[in-house]
């Protein structure tokens, strides 16, 4: 049978948008903010997405991941640095 997984990604480091002018990228990020898509400016490495896909593909044939949402973690504040 066919298994389908909906994969929703947050900001991810990739080649997508690298050719955009800086002001265009800033505009896009600002427009995402009202939807809660830019809570911070961290990005996930693409390898995290690949790992999630491999994990979903490795599920037993009797099951499927219906939805996977990946979001980058916010920067960790180091109290000692302040």
């Amino acid at each position: 049978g066919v298994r389908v997984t909906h994969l929703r990604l947050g900001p991810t480091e990739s080649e997508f948008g690298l050719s955009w002018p800086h002001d265009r990228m800033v505009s896009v990020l600002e427009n995402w903010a009202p939807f809660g898509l830019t809570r911070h400016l961290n990005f996930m490495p693409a390898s995290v997405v690949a790992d999630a896909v491999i994990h979903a593909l490795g599920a037993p044939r009797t099951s499927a991941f219906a939805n996977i949402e990946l979001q980058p973690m916010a920067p960790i504040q180091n109290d000692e640095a302040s």
Side-chain angles (χ1 to χ4, degrees):
V2 175
R3 296 186 292 180
V4 176
T5 300
H6 175 247
L7 183 59
R8 181 177 179 196
L9 304 178
T12 306
E13 293 173 357
S14 71
E15 292 79 22
F16 178 76
L18 285 181
S19 63
W20 293 2
H22 178 73
D23 58 335
R24 169 96 169 130
M25 183 59 75
V26 169
S27 173
V28 167
L29 292 174
E30 288 173 349
N31 286 319
W32 286 352
F35 303 102
L37 300 175
T38 52
R39 295 181 293 272
H40 50 76
L41 295 177
N42 270 11
F43 284 71
M44 298 179 290
S47 62
V48 171
V49 177
D51 289 345
V53 170
I54 295 299
H55 187 71
L57 291 172
R61 294 181 61 87
T62 56
S63 63
F65 287 92
N67 298 292
I68 297 175
E69 180 173 350
L70 294 171
Q71 296 292 333
M73 295 294 292
I76 297 173
Q77 299 296 326
N78 184 349
D79 292 334
E80 296 176 17
S82 30

